[in-house]
Every structure is written in C-alpha cells, then in structure tokens.
Amino acid sequence: MPEFRYVNGIRIFGFPDKASLINYVQGKNEILVAVNAEKIKNADQELKDVINKNIGYPDGVGAVWALGQKGIKNVAKIPGVELWLEFVEKHYLKKSFYFIGAREEIIQSTVDKLNEEYPGINLAGYRNGYIKPHEMEDLFHDIQIKKPDYVFVAMGSPAQERLMMRLSEIHPAIYIGLGGSFDIYSGKTKRAPQFLIDLKLEWFYRLVTEPKRLKRQLKLVGFVKNMILKKY
C-alpha cells in the first residue's frame, strides 16, 4: 500500500509516478480525487469525507510540497489531465468507459477525438455536464444498465465529487474527477507549454491566460503561509 499523510484533514496518497497509481487501483472500485493546494485549503467536510473514503492523489505542486513536508519524499505530481488518458491508453480495448462533463459541443468533440485516436474504444456512454434535476434519474439508469468499468466526470469540484459519490452507490466502478480536462483534450483550452510544466509553473500560465483566476489564486496565500509555518 502506498504511503499517505493527512494534510488539513485530507488523506493524500504519495505515488512515485502515474504507473504506480494506475497499478494500485486495478481491481478496486474507488473514486480518484485530484488534490491540489486549493482543495487542501478550502475543502468542506463533505468533500474531505469523499476524499478520505477513496483515493486522493497529488494533482498539484502544493500537494506534493505538503507530502514532502510530512516525510514522503519520492512523490510525483500526477495531473488529472494526463491520468485519465493513461487509463484509456492502457485499457481502451478491454474495459468500458463512460464520460460526463463539459458543454455539449466539448463532450462531443472529446468523444470524436477519442474514437479517432483509440479505434475500437469501448464507449459505454457520454453526456454533457449540465444535468438538470429531472435528468439525474435517467443518468443513474443509464449507468446501471451499461455498467461501465470507468466513469470520468469533468464538472469541477466539488460538484464532480458529489456526483461520483452518488453514482458509486448505484454502480461500482473506477471514478475519476477531471475538472477541465475535456476542454483541454478537445482543444478548447490550451495547456501550458512543457517547459513551464517542467518548471512547476503551470499555475502561472493558467493565471496569465485566465485572469479571472486571480481571485482564486490570491486565496492560496493562506495555504503558502500555513505551509511555511507548518500548520498543516
């Protein structure tokens, strides 16, 4: 079992690379939750409970920093935007997949690209992330009937975690929350250049290209302060 630590009440597992995480979850029907500095600082008790009952993994440099400070040194940052495609690459001819999230044109572009890049992919179903209350039962029924092995949910946090918890209660599978991953995969949003990713400055690129994120980033000053003071 990989090492884990609790950071501000959130259990985070430290994996040395993506392959270790992928191998660890095989045969387990769990929810994989990407943990970053924002979640560590702002998660409410409901979200913490979801993470702690499942598998929280370090999606951001803040989570890696926190685990290192607590004694787990060989920890990789595992971006959710890359992780889900690793699962697809490894299992697309053997396992079935269900995709939920983003706007209709984005999810359709995502599915079209998946079919092109992974011919023969076992696509159990998909739908956009704008689920009206009266549509929820239809989604539950579809999941129960099609019984996918993997369910990817790209709706942003904590909405995606809440939905994954509800779905996991009616159908056991591997669930992964993906935030804006479909936007990036479909080409709607550009990811940071690789050299900035290597320099751990992907957050800076997103701030420059999405100035509306400034308010969210400023809230993380408290995270940095608490890390420096070792309050987590």
Side-chain angles (χ1 to χ4, degrees):
M1 185 175 183
E3 287 189 88
F4 63 83
R5 296 290 188 274
Y6 282 88
V7 182
N8 197 27
I10 295 176
R11 185 178 68 175
I12 312 173
F13 287 86
F15 295 93
D17 48 48
K18 290 193 290 289
S20 299
L21 171 54
I22 291 170
N23 291 333
Y24 177 68
V25 302
Q26 296 310 305
K28 297 180 176 68
N29 293 317
E30 301 271 11
I31 298 171
L32 276 60
V33 183
V35 180
N36 55 21
E38 190 170 4
K39 276 198 180 80
I40 292 172
K41 183 177 184 297
N42 298 326
D44 60 18
Q45 192 57 51
E46 180 185 11
L47 181 53
K48 289 180 180 180
D49 289 343
V50 173
I51 299 172
N52 294 344
K53 290 175 183 175
N54 292 281
I55 299 174
Y57 66 90
D59 169 73
V61 293
V64 173
W65 180 16
L67 289 176
Q69 194 175 82
K70 289 183 174 288
I72 307 181
K73 301 301 182 184
N74 186 28
V75 176
K77 174 190 170 187
I78 303 177
V81 68
E82 299 174 4
L83 180 63
W84 73 284
L85 287 171
E86 296 275 351
F87 279 106
V88 171
E89 176 74 33
K90 190 177 181 68
H91 298 297
Y92 74 96
L93 292 176
K94 302 174 184 177
K95 302 290 185 178
S96 58
F97 299 86
Y98 202 108
F99 300 88
I100 304 168
R103 299 196 307 273
E104 182 62 32
E105 63 270 25
I106 297 298
I107 188 64
Q108 188 62 61
S109 295
T110 295
V111 169
D112 290 345
K113 186 174 179 180
L114 285 167
N115 280 319
E116 180 181 339
E117 294 191 338
Y118 303 97
I121 184 173
N122 191 344
L123 184 61
Y126 65 93
R127 65 147 297 139
N128 65 53
Y130 295 85
I131 309 170
K132 297 175 182 177
H134 70 273
E135 296 175 323
M136 197 64 74
E137 286 302 321
D138 290 337
L139 174 60
F140 291 166
H141 181 69
D142 203 38
I143 292 286
Q144 285 178 307
I145 294 297
K146 293 177 178 175
K147 296 179 169 47
D149 297 299
Y150 291 90
V151 181
F152 298 126
V153 184
M155 294 172 60
S157 185
Q160 62 191 20
E161 285 81 17
R162 289 172 180 158
L163 179 58
M164 290 189 294
M165 274 298 292
R166 294 182 68 183
L167 292 173
S168 69
E169 291 168 357
I170 64 171
H171 171 66
I174 293 177
Y175 291 83
I176 309 178
L178 297 179
S181 296
F182 295 163
D183 295 77
I184 292 173
Y185 182 69
S186 68
K188 173 66 171 61
T189 301
K190 297 290 185 182
R191 196 177 177 199
Q194 188 60 48
F195 80 93
L196 287 178
I197 295 173
D198 294 340
L199 290 171
K200 299 180 173 57
L201 291 173
E202 189 168 9
W203 63 270
F204 179 72
Y205 176 85
R206 295 188 68 186
L207 180 59
V208 171
T209 56
E210 302 175 60
K212 63 182 180 181
R213 296 179 63 87
L214 178 60
K215 187 175 181 180
R216 288 173 60 182
Q217 294 289 348
L218 287 175
K219 290 181 179 179
L220 296 181
V221 172
F223 169 83
V224 175
K225 177 182 176 182
N226 286 338
M227 284 295 298
I228 292 172
L229 298 176
K230 297 185 177 181
K231 289 188 175 182
Y232 289 144

